[in-house]
């Protein structure tokens, strides 16, 4: 039970000690609001379970005031729960203490004779080094996603998340992973502490899909807010703003249209990042556009997602760009004029990178573009002469100078080399002369498309589709087969009918199952010896990755071509290793048969992805529905053939238009393979390092969690409770859980927890160790038959208590410094490395008594600590110097680049340059204030202990 909490008291976070001293600023609804001024943030804790510790200094401690004046405590008084510190002429209340004071007491524990087993010192040292490596990692925030490492996704995420103001339109084509890109950006910003509050707006039908993706892939638990949630919370806390109560919120954009008061609450709550999916629906004058516009004006970060950025015309595209940068996109006519330049430059880019000789006219255009920079003359000549490296370098300069790329990213399938092939297998079944079967299928189609007002009953007992499926599974015993159909009830009926035909391992996947059950069924389907057939409702076409399967079966077809592509997209993904076999089962003279014919011969929607399929459907949906309605009653054959021909002609012309309109310059900007490959290499390297595995096993063992091998090669383990030392270990399920440090295994088995440097369990475990006194005071003996004496091994942490938004960790993360001294102040760290000591040191049987029997605490320890601190300070000064040089090189070069770029590309705003300069100044100022803090010490007694 915590001590009574009162406004004005000082507390420290056990999980985030680097935030410095916290000040209780408000108590409300059984919650404590604690402001950490050094970290420029406020944390909200449930009072009963808060991982915080009361800060109480004692006589003799040296403290600092808010004005940075030091004094030694001579007296401590308690006035109504608030501490008053007096000394050296000062008398201040605890709230006036400097928020930058660190609070740790290893020397006090040693002086009091409190020591831990020797092995815990090693554990603490390893935890400190692991935390340092995590914070310094250039791919921090990217390693923890349960995702395949797709280069273009990582490149976009890195490019945007590195910006001071992350505002961009993510416009990759369907299937290329816009959602993953947005989540990677958000995850990196959250993990690094640059943002805390995120609002995601999506269409109602995508709420669940986003929720699952965020939780399953990135371990982010978002709160879905709807009117029921709002009313329940307001009933309990009438004056509360529900949006302020949650930091990570997922909400339907339609919700605000019917509840206008909620918009004001969302505005008042304040956000660091706003993400809007299906952004092509944003049209000026609509409620949704006004909502996003209002939120975007006061939210620093904004990500808009759409696969069809110009679907509603160029003016609609301009409106969305204006949301991202209202100052830059204020004049539509100027935008049109500028767009003409984009296309010209894009054409030049295509010419430069092409195999053919650069025409004379294009050479003159290229020279005109770079006429203001004579230093590029030789590079232009080399590029024109055909040198590949020079071509790429010249394109880099063009990408910086021109185009819409600083606010928009778009990758296309035609530019991606790794997509699999599709092979269509039409399966024409008998039954066109069976009126009972035809009537049943007609009802089925009506139910699927919502034309039936009542629920239909499915009967697949004598259905030729089930007969074919059973026979196919018998003939292909080694294949994994995915079947997606329209509804849950249909999926269940197919499953039941098939069971009567064939004995086979099969499973279901539908919306009435819990998230856990769906994950388990999908995982069983993924296992080599698991289910061979997964039958899913339409929910399986959203977000899931079944690329280990190469066979997709259609027993029905959605009328929406985008939904058709979503189904195929479960297998047709980057990373698919085999040709995708698409089996479409249909009976002539049915709506499904006619729809298949229209898709295949009109749009060619099965054998390749068709970017304009939705536009084709919108163009022909009225005559198409007319034909589908006549499927069972002899439709006009000539009219139907004309529909197919008109559809094909329109589709081919649209495809040609889209291909000609491809902005290759934008595509090149959106994906630079060399930079992306470097990111992938870094992430893979971190993932293969087993140092984290070893540390987590040590921590689990100490806290009483059993870890049993399941797959050593894939670094996969089952965790179960043993003799638990704490009530709740971060992220641990007391019922047991399976974890893996192997990315491939975790992707293959989505019911397995993927542990990485980014995972909350890892962060929680490190916080648990380093936020406690565990291992910070130890005593050890070093067997030596020839010498005797005393050594003091200390670990200092060089800390910079800076606002999290600055991400100072890039240049100066909390750095552990090891110092080993003997009496007299001589450094012995090189003579006795930590690896050597780990092997040779032992914990004495009665450490406390041994310590009390020697005049160490009062005579030797203070002097050894003094000498140790001097050495640590010298090491720290060199690290601070190096950090300042790195800051100057990294941020200074970036500022120079932005200023130079500003001269030729007005997409670079004065505000962006100003923020970059301000950030650099703040980081430099904070690094200069970095100080060392004693984190742990180990007293080593050297001698001959052979007779003990």
């Amino acid at each position: 039970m915590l001590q009574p909490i009162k406004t004005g008291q000082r507390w420290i976070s056990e999980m985030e000690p680097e935030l410095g001293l916290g000040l209780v600023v408000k108590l409300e609804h059984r919650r404590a609001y604690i402001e950490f001024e050094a970290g420029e943030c406020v944390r909200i804790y449930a009072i009963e379970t808060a991982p915080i510790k009361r800060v109480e200094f004692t006589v003799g401690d040296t403290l600092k005031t808010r004005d940075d004046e030091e004094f030694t405590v001579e007296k401590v008084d308690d006035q109504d729960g608030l501490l008053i510190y007096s000394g050296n002429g000062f008398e201040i209340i605890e709230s006036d203490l400097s928020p930058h004071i660190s609070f740790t007491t290893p020397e006090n524990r040693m002086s009091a004779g409190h020591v831990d087993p020797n092995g815990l010192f090693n554990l603490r040292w390893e935890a400190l080094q692991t935390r340092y490596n995590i914070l310094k990692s250039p791919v921090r925030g990217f390693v923890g996603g349960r995702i395949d490492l797709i280069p273009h996704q990582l490149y976009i995420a890195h490019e945007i998340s590195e910006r001071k103001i992350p505002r961009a339109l993510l416009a990759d084509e369907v299937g290329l992973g816009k959602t993953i890109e947005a989540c990677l950006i958000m995850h990196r910003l959250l993990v690094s502490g640059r943002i805390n509050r995120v609002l995601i707006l999506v269409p109602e039908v995508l709420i669940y899909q986003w929720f699952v993706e965020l939780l399953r892939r990135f371990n982010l638990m978002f709160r879905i807010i709807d009117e029921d949630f709002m009313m329940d919370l307001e009933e309990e806390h009438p004056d509360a703003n529900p949006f302020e109560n949650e930091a990570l919120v997922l909400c339907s954009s339609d919700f605000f249209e019917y509840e206008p008061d909620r918009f004001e609450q969302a505005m008042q709550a304040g956000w660091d990042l706003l993400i809007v999916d299906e952004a092509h629906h944003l049209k000026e004058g609509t409620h949704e556009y006004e909502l996003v516009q209002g939120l975007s004006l006061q939210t620093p970060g904004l990500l808009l997602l759409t696969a069809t950025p110009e679907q509603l015309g160029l003016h609609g595209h301009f409106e969305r760009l204006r949301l991202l940068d209202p100052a830059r996109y204020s004049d539509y006519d100027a935008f049109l004029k500028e767009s003409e330049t984009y296309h010209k430059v894009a054409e030049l880019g295509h010419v430069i990178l092409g195999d053919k000789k650069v025409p004379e006219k294009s050479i003159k255009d290229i020279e005109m573009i770079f006429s203001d920079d004579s230093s590029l003359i030789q590079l232009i000549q080399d590029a024109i002469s055909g040198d590949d490296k020079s071509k790429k370098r010249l394109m880099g300069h063009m990408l910086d100078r021109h185009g819409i790329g600083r606010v928009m990213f778009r990758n296309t399938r035609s530019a991606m080399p790794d997509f699999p092939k599709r092979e269509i297998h039409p399966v024409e079944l008998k039954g066109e002369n069976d009126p009972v079967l035809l009537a049943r299928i007609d009802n089925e189609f009506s139910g699927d498309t919502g034309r039936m007002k009542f629920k239909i009953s499915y009967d697949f007992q004598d259905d030729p589709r089930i007969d074919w499926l059973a026979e196919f599974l018998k003939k292909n015993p080694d294949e994994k087969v995915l079947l997606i159909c329209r509804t849950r009830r249909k999926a269940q009926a197919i499953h039941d009918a098939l069971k009567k035909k064939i004995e086979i391992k099969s499973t279901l996947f539908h919306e009435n199952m819990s998230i856990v059950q769906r994950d388990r069924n999908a995982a069983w389907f993924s296992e080599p010896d698991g289910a061979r057939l997964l039958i899913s409702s339409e929910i399986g076409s959203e977000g899931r990755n079944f690329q280990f399967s190469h066979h997709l079966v259609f027993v029905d077809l959605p009328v929406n071509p985008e939904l058709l592509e979503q189904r195929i997209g479960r297998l047709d993904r980057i990373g698919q290793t085999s040709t995708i076999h698409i089996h479409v089962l249909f009976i002539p003279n049915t709506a499904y048969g006619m729809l298949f014919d229209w898709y295949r011969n009109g749009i060619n929607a099965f054998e390749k992805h068709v970017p304009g399929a939705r536009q084709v459907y919108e163009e022909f949906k009225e005559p198409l529905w007319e034909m589908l309605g006549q499927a069972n009653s002899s439709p006009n054959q000539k009219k139907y053939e004309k529909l197919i021909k008109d559809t094909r002609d329109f589709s081919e012309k649209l495809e040609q238009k889209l291909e000609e309109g491809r902005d290759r310059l934008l595509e090149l900007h959106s994906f630079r393979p060399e930079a992306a490959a470097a990111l992938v290499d870094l992430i893979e390297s971190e993932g293969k390092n087993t140092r984290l595995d070893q540390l987590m096993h040590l921590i689990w063992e100490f806290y009483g969690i059993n870890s049993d091998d399941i797959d050593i090669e894939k670094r996969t383990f089952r965790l179960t409770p043993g003799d638990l030392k704490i009530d709740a270990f971060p992220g641990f399920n007391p019922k047991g859980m399976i974890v893996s440090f192997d990315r491939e295994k975790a992707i293959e088995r989505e019911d397995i927890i993927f542990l990485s440097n980014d995972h909350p369990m890892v962060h929680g475990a490190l916080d648990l160790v380093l936020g406690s006194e565990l291992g910070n005071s130890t005593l050890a003996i070093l067997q030596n038959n020839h010498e005797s004496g005393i050594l003091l091994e200390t670990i200092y942490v060089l800390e910079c208590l800076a606002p999290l938004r600055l991400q100072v960790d890039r240049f100066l993360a909390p750095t552990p410094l090891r110092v080993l001294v003997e009496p007299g102040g001589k450094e012995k760290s090189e003579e006795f490395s930590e690896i050597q000591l780990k092997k040779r040191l032992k914990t004495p049987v009665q450490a406390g008594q041994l310590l009390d029997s020697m005049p160490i605490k009062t005579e030797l320890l203070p002097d050894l600590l003094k000498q140790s601190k001097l050495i640590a300070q010298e090491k720290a000064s060199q690290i601070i110097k190096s950090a300042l040089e790195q800051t100057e090189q990294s941020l200074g070069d970036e500022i120079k680049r932005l200023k130079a770029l500003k001269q030729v590309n007005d997409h670079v705003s004065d505000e962006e340059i100003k923020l970059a300069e301000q950030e650099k100044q703040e980081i430099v100022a904070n690094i200069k204030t970095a100080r060392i803090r004693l984190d742990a010490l180990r007293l080593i007694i050297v001698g001959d202990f052979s007779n003990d």
Side-chain angles (χ1 to χ4, degrees), residues 69-89:
E69 295 184 87
E70 285 192 354
F71 69 97
T72 301
V73 177
E74 298 173 356
K75 183 182 177 184
V76 182
D77 293 315
D78 187 326
Q79 294 185 3
D80 296 326
L82 298 181
L83 299 178
I84 309 295
Y85 297 102
S86 305
N88 302 127

Side-chain angles (χ1 to χ4, degrees), residues 248-448:
L248 304 177
V249 171
L250 179 58
C251 192
S252 165
S253 46
D254 302 329
F255 166 63
F256 295 94
E257 184 174 358
Y258 305 107
E259 302 294 340
D261 293 343
R262 302 307 187 191
F263 172 60
E264 291 301 322
Q265 290 178 307
M267 292 280 286
Q268 293 169 8
W271 308 96
D272 301 318
L273 177 66
L274 172 65
I275 299 176
V276 184
D277 197 8
E278 302 293 331
H280 50 271
H281 294 305
L282 297 175
K283 188 175 182 180
E284 192 171 21
T286 64
H287 179 85
E288 189 176 5
Y289 187 92
E290 292 175 359
L291 165 69
V292 174
Q293 185 178 46
L295 289 167
S296 69
L297 289 174
Q298 63 180 41
T299 304
L302 174 63
L303 299 177
L304 304 179
L305 282 61
T306 174
T308 51
E310 298 180 15
Q311 184 182 42
L312 300 179
L314 199 57
H315 194 277
H317 183 42
F318 170 77
E319 291 169 354
R320 287 180 286 281
L321 294 175
R322 187 166 57 192
L323 292 172
L324 293 164
D325 191 344
R328 177 67 186 78
Y329 297 99
S330 58
D331 188 322
Y332 180 60
D333 291 334
F335 170 70
L336 287 177
K337 186 176 180 180
E338 190 175 15
S339 295
E340 295 176 4
T341 304
Y342 296 159
H343 290 299
K344 290 179 181 178
V345 175
E347 289 172 5
L348 283 177
H350 183 55
V351 169
I352 292 172
L353 294 178
D355 297 329
K356 297 180 180 179
K357 183 179 179 180
V358 179
E360 189 65 31
K361 182 182 181 301
S362 297
I363 294 175
K364 291 181 179 180
D365 290 339
I366 294 168
E367 291 174 342
M368 180 64 69
I369 288 175
F370 297 106
S371 60
D372 61 333
D373 194 341
S374 58
S375 66
L376 296 176
I377 293 176
Q378 186 60 50
L379 179 62
I380 293 171
Q381 292 174 350
D382 292 342
I384 292 171
S385 67
D387 180 68
D388 287 339
K389 289 185 178 179
S390 298
K391 285 182 177 183
K392 291 178 180 179
R393 285 184 58 204
L394 185 61
M395 284 306 305
H397 287 285
M398 290 182 71
L399 292 171
D400 270 347
R401 286 166 174 256
H402 298 279
I404 205 170
R406 288 190 64 78
V407 292
M408 179 174 168
F409 291 80
R410 181 168 176 80
N411 284 296
T412 61
R413 286 180 174 233
S414 55
M416 296 286 119
D418 297 326
F419 270 94
K421 292 181 179 180
R422 300 178 181 180
E423 190 172 308
I424 180 68
H425 302 277
V427 182
E428 183 175 328
L429 301 169
K430 294 181 179 180
E432 67 269 27
N433 297 320
D434 184 343
V436 175
L437 177 62
L438 292 178
R440 198 169 68 207
I441 292 178
D442 185 58
N443 283 341
E444 181 185 329
F445 180 76
S446 297
D448 286 350

Side-chain angles (χ1 to χ4, degrees), residues 84-139:
I84 309 295
Y85 297 102
S86 305
N88 302 127
F90 289 91
E91 182 177 288
I92 66 169
I93 194 167
E94 61 180 292
S95 57
D96 289 334
L97 291 175
S98 168
H100 296 276
I101 293 175
S102 304
F103 189 75
T104 185
T105 58
E107 63 271 49
N108 291 345
R109 290 191 69 210
M110 178 68 73
S111 297
H114 298 156
V115 291
D116 295 324
N118 176 58
L120 294 183
F121 181 91
N122 298 328
L123 175 62
R124 190 176 190 88
W125 166 250
E126 189 65 30
L128 284 167
Q129 289 188 305
T130 298
R131 184 181 68 172
Y132 171 78
N133 291 330
I134 288 173
L135 296 178
K136 283 286 287 184
S137 170
V139 289

Side-chain angles (χ1 to χ4, degrees), residues 690-705:
T690 60
R691 190 170 182 176
L692 179 65
D693 311 30
Q694 296 163 8
L695 174 62
M696 290 302 295
H697 277 90
L698 290 173
I699 295 176
W700 290 328
E701 181 182 5
F702 175 78
Y703 285 103
I705 295 175

Side-chain angles (χ1 to χ4, degrees), residues 565-634:
E565 183 62 36
Q566 279 188 344
R567 287 192 188 182
I568 300 173
R570 296 316 95 212
L571 275 60
D572 184 7
R573 312 178 68 82
I574 290 179
Q576 171 65 266
T577 58
S578 299
T579 296
I580 299 164
H581 298 276
I582 303 171
H583 308 271
V584 182
L585 317 186
F586 69 95
I587 297 170
N589 298 331
T590 65
Y592 290 129
M594 184 175 286
L595 187 57
F596 168 68
D597 192 28
W598 185 78
Y599 272 138
R600 188 186 187 193
N601 296 313
I603 304 182
N604 192 21
F606 291 102
E607 294 186 306
K608 67 175 184 177
H609 168 70
V610 182
R614 178 70 186 188
Q615 290 169 263
V616 178
Y617 170 73
E618 292 294 337
E619 181 71 20
F620 294 99
K621 63 180 178 182
E622 290 185 9
L624 174 64
W625 274 102
E626 181 182 346
M627 289 292 104
L628 293 176
Q630 300 172 7
N632 287 357
S633 56
S634 301

